[in-house]
Amino acid sequence: MDHTKMINRLPTIPLLRVLLLSSGMVLLAACATGQGSTPIDTIQSWFSRKDKGVRQPGEKLVSPPDVVWKERNCARLQRPYIDIDLNEILPSRVPAGEEFNHRMVYSMCPLRTGEGVVGDLSRRITFKGNTVFEDISRRFEIKPGKWQLDAFIGIPAEAPAGVYALEVAFSGGSVRFQRSANLVVSRR
């Protein structure tokens, strides 16, 4: 077998990218271990920041209402029915002065076809039991189908280090929900 032909068939650019990415991760892990972070924390943080970088603010339809109706078997549910499929913060560790992404994904089965639920959607950040940030969207419509909501929230540079809670809540008509997720803010 001619090994030269075999080597020439290898995809050199993707292989080079994998090697560079692997080297970068090892370097990141090595740098972080002296600062109180584990290599796994550093790698997870890198991927979280990469994922956050491709997200866009706003709402996006993930699945149309008829698909959700079948998947959730909406005919058998008490409607309007809303389920929070995801309530996520990326990255979950943020240096003061940077921003994080809050993503919420919900599925909704309407009372009547095409009918949404209008109410107040709020995001509130607390630290040691005190509200440090609150944003309320009045007359926000929860729509039939599966929807993804993305918001970017900045952490002030002077914010104290510690564990913060992000609470998202909705209240409209007979529909109410509240979810929370934690966020760790660190000083640079």
Side-chain angles (χ1 to χ4, degrees):
M1 177 182 277
D2 185 359
H3 295 291
T4 307
K5 287 181 184 176
M6 198 172 170
I7 290 173
N8 288 338
R9 290 184 187 167
L10 291 176
T12 55
I13 293 176
L15 181 59
L16 181 60
R17 285 183 185 157
V18 168
L19 289 174
L20 286 173
L21 183 60
S22 299
S23 300
M25 285 185 185
V26 170
L27 181 60
L28 281 172
C31 291
T33 53
Q35 298 174 353
S37 297
T38 67
I40 291 174
D41 289 340
T42 303
I43 291 168
Q44 287 175 338
S45 175
W46 184 84
F47 278 112
S48 292
R49 290 178 194 283
K50 181 180 170 292
D51 287 345
K52 181 192 114 193
V54 298
R55 294 182 176 186
Q56 297 295 317
E59 58 185 331
K60 174 183 164 189
L61 179 65
V62 177
S63 296
D66 58 330
V67 171
V68 171
W69 188 271
K70 290 175 188 169
E71 287 177 353
R72 300 295 172 115
N73 199 5
C74 292
R76 294 188 180 198
L77 297 173
Q78 181 176 346
R79 298 182 311 265
Y81 169 83
I82 296 176
D83 188 25
I84 307 303
D85 301 313
L86 179 70
N87 184 46
E88 174 182 66
I89 293 175
L90 272 185
S92 60
R93 295 172 186 251
V94 181
E98 292 190 16
E99 69 178 10
F100 66 92
N101 167 248
H102 173 242
R103 174 173 283 180
M104 183 177 77
V105 177
Y106 70 84
S107 296
M108 193 265 215
C109 299
L111 183 59
R112 287 179 277 290
T113 303
E115 184 177 80
V117 176
V118 177
D120 293 339
L121 177 70
S122 67
R123 286 186 179 92
R124 182 168 63 126
I125 299 176
T126 60
F127 179 64
K128 296 183 178 179
N130 298 312
T131 299
V132 295
F133 171 83
E134 187 166 27
D135 175 59
I136 301 173
S137 298
R138 305 263 184 223
R139 306 228 12 99
F140 184 85
E141 183 180 8
I142 299 285
K143 301 171 187 167
K146 186 173 191 172
W147 289 83
Q148 171 182 295
L149 305 174
D150 279 295
F152 289 83
I153 301 169
I155 302 294
E158 64 279 0
V163 178
Y164 290 70
L166 173 95
E167 297 171 357
V168 61
F170 179 83
S171 178
S174 63
V175 177
R176 291 179 186 9
F177 65 79
Q178 182 176 345
R179 298 291 186 279
S180 65
N182 289 328
L183 165 73
V184 176
V185 173
S186 61
R187 300 294 300 165
R188 288 183 181 221

